[in-house]
Amino acid sequence: MGDSRTVLLGDSAFGGSLGMGTSLALVGAYVLAGELSTMDAPRAAFARYADEMRDYVAANRKRPPGGSRGFAPRTRNGIRLRNAVMRAIPHLPGGQRMLGGLQRSANAITLKPYPALRL
């Protein structure tokens, strides 16, 4: 059997990123592909990938306001309430504070322009 590898992205890789798993997966896939495209040795690319992602992952593992229950309610009424609040936040004074810096966390990385990857 040849040398095989498995890569986990998003919540599977970074666990506990409640609400940011898709962003972490997409950014992680881009960075991993970019680093693999620039390195001859996969081990070196994986190390650079980890370095590039470390601060972004840390910023996105913080819990949203209300914690897990506030963001992932267990009842239909809880889901309705969460959805109504999320729709209203942009229109409320201080709404960005209520989001707990989610926008700031989502943009906490500057993606490098990898020559082999064209967006």
Side-chain angles (χ1 to χ4, degrees), residues 73-94:
R74 297 179 182 175
T75 66
R76 284 181 187 235
N77 285 336
I79 293 168
R80 286 184 189 112
L81 178 61
R82 182 216 42 215
N83 292 349
V85 168
M86 293 302 285
R87 280 192 301 272
I89 285 176
H91 309 287
L92 298 173

Side-chain angles (χ1 to χ4, degrees), residues 45-61:
F46 294 141
R48 287 192 34 188
Y49 162 76
D51 289 343
E52 287 289 320
M53 292 294 293
R54 187 170 289 112
D55 292 340
Y56 184 64
V57 170
N60 283 283
R61 289 191 70 198

Side-chain angles (χ1 to χ4, degrees), residues 5-30:
R5 303 191 190 282
T6 300
V7 175
L8 300 175
L9 296 168
D11 284 336
S12 298
F14 309 117
S17 62
L18 191 63
M20 295 303 293
T22 302
S23 296
L24 285 164
L26 292 170
V27 169
Y30 175 81

